[in-house]
Amino acid sequence: MTGRTIVVTSGKGGVGKSTTTANVGTALAMRGHRVVVIDTDIGLRNLDVILGLESRVAYDLVDVVQGVCKLHQAMIRDKHRFELYLLPAAQTRDKNCIQADQLNALCRNLEREFDYVIVDSPAGIDQGFKIAISAAREAIVVVNPEIAAIRDADRVIGLLEAAGLHRPKLVINRVSQEMMRRGDMMDEDDIVSLLSVEVLGMVPIDERLIIATNRGVPVVYDRKALSGVAFQKIAARIDGDEAVIPVANAKSGLMDRVRGLIGIDRSAFSHV
Amino acid sequence: MFDAIKHAAANGGSAKDQARRRLHDTLIQDRVDLAPEVMEALKRDLLGVITRYMEAPEGFQEFEVRRENGWPVLVCRLKVREHQSKIASININ
């Protein structure tokens, strides 16, 4: 059985691609899968800091494709989940350092060893984006409920379809249930009617996510965080579990609330 | 500055409705890469051709470019007169 290679992309920058990659990757690992997340944003590396692994980077993606090091030397094992690995981007190189066929070969190789290969794409729609999507067999588009992000997402969806990545799925990040209730923010129906794609889930704006990122611990470990719960549900859907689309302020189950009172998933912070 | 926002609010309904409407039109242009005035010309010409064969008193009820199975699809919808009395509906895909 081979793994699934999924690209996370958006067109517009700053919508939460790397945050989504880190949290969905971690959540899939928490579900027992072997996961590798690849940062392809060469020159603007960030997935390492979001996962709290920046101090362990020795080699990177460009080193691997250029044969400077072995693949396993560049892969960093996560602190909390031993099923999760990061392949970091090069920080001091540019996007011409890697070719589509090289990333493609790498992903095919990784699919033999991992259940999920998640490729974090750079923003934009030029070379780096094209290389990132060329290796993937499925795509997730991250969007915020605002005009510029949705317009860029539509463009990206067109490019994904043209590249043979059919039916990309949408993650709507930074939603405010309160603003939607007031009619001040586009809701899921609005976005689906504009983009005609399936929604994997909606992630609320969440201070706890900012705090978790500052600490270098993905927010999926914080059981009190609504954004973390949303990312867990998105991972469950990717994994074929038809969980209900998370609503930003949905009431959680009794056990979730009890765990919430205790605080966070202890396994996450015991190593910190 | 704030007056400009208030003015826009007074004229266009809720903020999300305005966003959706503006995006709806922008995405159509983006998808087919035609300027709004070219789309208007296409609409006018199409209506002209159709009304040579049948009556369409209300004009287009729907005229947009949607994405279906990955392809942009021009969807037009208008009511036409049937036997001079009844109204039927036709779709052009």
Side-chain angles (χ1 to χ4, degrees):
Chain A
M1 207 203 114
T2 59
R4 292 164 63 185
T5 300
I6 306 173
V7 65
V8 178
T9 187
S10 68
K12 189 177 177 299
V15 297
K17 273 185 303 298
S18 296
T19 301
T20 300
T21 305
N23 280 288
V24 167
T26 304
L28 287 167
M30 290 164 86
R31 295 172 66 84
H33 295 294
R34 286 177 58 77
V35 181
V36 56
V37 291
I38 306 177
D39 190 347
T40 65
D41 200 352
I42 294 161
L44 296 166
R45 171 164 90 207
N46 266 326
L47 200 50
D48 56 338
V49 287
I50 292 174
L51 285 164
L53 299 172
E54 67 277 12
S55 64
R56 303 185 185 195
V57 176
Y59 296 103
D60 56 55
L61 178 60
V62 175
D63 293 327
V64 171
V65 299
Q66 293 187 345
V68 174
C69 70
K70 293 263 194 311
L71 175 57
H72 70 86
Q73 288 179 292
M75 302 220 319
I76 304 161
R77 193 170 215 175
D78 187 55
K79 284 185 276 194
H80 316 304
R81 292 284 154 185
F82 291 161
E83 306 92 335
L84 178 66
Y85 287 82
L86 164 70
L87 186 50
Q91 180 69 336
T92 54
R93 313 294 285 274
D94 64 55
K95 292 188 168 85
N96 301 319
C97 286
I98 167 170
Q99 308 286 320
D101 56 346
Q102 293 172 320
L103 186 65
N104 205 51
L106 178 65
C107 288
R108 298 296 84 82
N109 202 0
L110 288 167
E111 278 172 359
R112 282 189 245 136
E113 208 183 318
F114 289 90
D115 301 314
Y116 288 96
V117 179
I118 305 181
V119 180
D120 187 15
S121 136
I125 53 171
D126 46 29
Q127 189 68 356
F129 161 81
K130 285 180 180 142
I131 290 170
I133 68 165
S134 70
R137 302 194 197 270
E138 299 170 62
I140 293 173
V141 176
V142 183
V143 77
N144 295 157
E146 48 97 10
I147 287 187
I150 292 173
R151 184 186 194 180
D152 289 2
D154 188 70
R155 186 100 172 80
V156 160
I157 291 164
L159 292 169
L160 290 169
E161 294 276 5
L165 283 165
H166 301 296
R167 301 181 188 283
K169 304 217 165 55
L170 207 63
V171 168
I172 307 171
N173 191 26
R174 299 216 188 98
V175 307
S176 161
Q177 207 63 19
E178 176 53 33
M179 287 189 75
M180 284 179 177
R181 204 165 22 240
R182 289 200 306 259
D184 287 337
M185 182 182 272
M186 284 177 283
D187 59 26
E188 190 189 338
D189 289 344
D190 295 322
I191 296 168
V192 167
S193 77
L194 287 164
L195 296 179
S196 318
V197 286
E198 186 189 325
V199 175
L200 277 175
M202 304 215 286
V203 183
I205 299 173
D206 188 3
E207 286 187 12
R208 298 186 79 98
L209 187 148
I210 296 166
I211 294 166
T213 307
N214 284 342
R215 297 191 196 283
V217 180
V219 75
V220 283
Y221 286 122
D222 181 350
R223 301 236 181 220
K224 277 187 176 174
L226 292 173
S227 57
V229 173
F231 280 123
Q232 296 268 15
K233 291 189 179 173
I234 288 165
R237 281 178 70 88
I238 292 168
D239 211 13
D241 189 347
E242 287 301 306
V244 183
I245 288 179
V247 178
N249 62 349
K251 289 270 185 292
S252 49
L254 178 63
M255 275 316 291
D256 283 345
R257 267 177 281 166
V258 170
R259 278 193 215 104
L261 288 173
I262 298 165
I264 47 217
D265 183 331
R266 271 164 285 130
S267 66
F269 286 85
S270 57
H271 303 269
V272 178
Chain B
M1 174 74 173
F2 194 65
D3 281 348
I5 296 171
K6 268 202 270 188
H7 179 76
N11 288 311
S14 74
K16 80 140 184 173
D17 287 339
Q18 281 190 315
R20 195 191 47 224
R21 260 202 312 277
R22 290 175 56 221
L23 263 170
H24 178 265
D25 297 345
T26 307
L27 295 187
I28 288 174
Q29 289 155 36
D30 287 355
R31 284 168 189 166
V32 291
D33 201 15
L34 290 178
E37 54 272 24
V38 180
M39 284 299 280
E40 279 308 311
L42 169 63
K43 201 168 163 179
R44 206 170 47 238
D45 287 355
L46 257 181
L47 193 62
V49 170
I50 291 165
T51 52
R52 268 179 12 218
Y53 300 92
M54 52 188 86
E55 281 182 65
E58 294 172 32
F60 285 108
Q61 293 167 300
E62 206 178 325
F63 191 89
E64 63 177 23
V65 179
R66 282 190 209 141
R67 209 184 286 290
E68 285 178 14
N69 299 320
W71 292 96
V73 175
L74 175 64
V75 178
C76 315
R77 184 184 168 81
L78 75 169
K79 279 183 183 170
V80 296
R81 231 176 260 288
E82 185 187 58
H83 303 144
Q84 306 292 334
S85 56
K86 282 181 262 169
I87 299 264
S89 206
I90 65 162
N91 284 300
I92 305 168
N93 269 336

